[in-house]
Structure formats: structure tokens, C-alpha cells
Amino acid sequence: MQCIKIGAFKSLYKRISCRVSQGSDISPLLFLIYINDITKGSSFHTTLFADDINLHMSNSCFNALQTTVNLEIYKIVHWLRANKLSLNYNKTNFMLLNSHKHNPTSFKVIINNHSIFVEDNLKYLGVLCSFFLFCLVLSFVPH
């Protein structure tokens, strides 16, 4: 049983069927063990770091890439649901590299009827990656 207490307010107790306690030294390791098999759920190349998951895919055909990404995202969402995890749509985005033949904003990624937005700048393992004039720029400048 668990409740939330903020100041004088205390919620009702609810039964928690599965969770990883936040704040303990072992929590990151337990979480990584829990989600480790997400890499087997799709054909994305996957990088796991703490609670961040980076999915990578390439294809020389823009339309085939868009179709494949959306199909593989569906597999990831199915894995998340089966493992009682959720996706924060506000923290989910993507970057296209070497898309000089196509407008990156025409690439559509949809997850559960939520449009995922293309970004020119993404933080990847603490490094700011920028797609500027069709080349990747890495920066260690604090942000």
C-alpha cells in the first residue's frame, strides 16, 4: 500500500502492483534490468541510459523510413503497455539526419494519435546534437 503526502495533505492508500522505488542507489540498475529486453521488441538500434531510450534507424528511402519507423514505434508502445510502462509524449521527439532531399517537417511520427515533433536540437547522453545545414554538430556547451 502506498500514499502521497504533501504538507498536511495525504492521499488515500492504493495498492501498487509493480514499481521501482525512486531515490535508492539500486533503482537505476533495477530499472535497466526491467526494461533491458525492450531492445528485442523492434528492429530499432537502441541505446539505453538511465530512464532515457534512444531509438535509431536508417533507410535510404524517405517514405520507407517513415513507414518502418511508425510500424516499429507501434511495437515499442505494445512492449511498454505489456510491461505496465507509459510514454511521456511531451519528452518524446525525433531528429532526421541527411534529409536534404526532403523537408524534415513532412516526416510524420504518430504514437497513439499523438504527433511526435521533429527537432533540430536534441540532447543525447548529455551532448547537444544539432542538425544545421545538413550536417551534425555536437556541442558540450552547458545548457
Side-chain angles (χ1 to χ4, degrees):
M1 299 291 283
Q2 183 175 334
C3 74
I4 297 173
K5 184 176 179 183
I6 301 173
F9 176 79
K10 185 175 172 181
S11 71
L12 297 174
Y13 280 90
K14 297 280 183 172
R15 180 169 301 282
I16 306 296
S17 60
C18 65
R19 69 184 181 93
V20 174
S21 297
Q22 292 183 337
S24 73
D25 292 339
I26 198 165
S27 294
L29 177 61
L30 291 174
F31 183 75
L32 285 176
I33 291 169
Y34 186 70
I35 66 164
N36 191 49
D37 67 336
I38 195 170
T39 60
K40 296 173 180 67
S42 77
S43 63
F44 281 113
H45 299 283
T46 308
T47 305
L48 303 174
F49 182 76
D51 63 348
D52 287 335
I53 300 173
N54 292 281
L55 306 171
H56 314 267
M57 183 170 282
S58 64
N59 194 314
S60 58
C61 176
F62 186 82
N63 292 331
L65 179 63
Q66 179 172 282
T67 300
T68 305
V69 163
N70 280 287
L71 288 172
E72 295 302 312
I73 286 286
Y74 177 80
K75 293 177 185 178
I76 295 291
V77 169
H78 178 75
W79 185 95
L80 290 169
R81 248 190 234 124
N83 287 278
K84 300 180 181 179
L85 294 170
S86 60
L87 184 66
N88 185 339
Y89 299 109
N90 296 325
K91 292 184 175 182
T92 303
N93 44 42
F94 70 95
M95 176 184 273
L96 289 174
L97 303 176
N98 293 331
S99 61
H100 57 277
K101 294 178 185 176
H102 298 279
N103 180 355
T105 58
S106 68
F107 195 94
K108 303 295 181 204
V109 176
I110 310 291
I111 304 174
N112 290 334
N113 296 319
H114 290 73
S115 292
I116 306 304
F117 298 103
V118 65
E119 298 286 344
D120 292 330
N121 301 295
L122 290 178
K123 200 174 194 182
Y124 181 73
L125 300 177
V127 177
L128 184 63
C129 301
S130 299
F131 189 66
F132 180 69
L133 296 177
F134 308 112
C135 63
L136 183 63
V137 179
L138 303 178
S139 171
F140 291 96
V141 176
H143 37 280

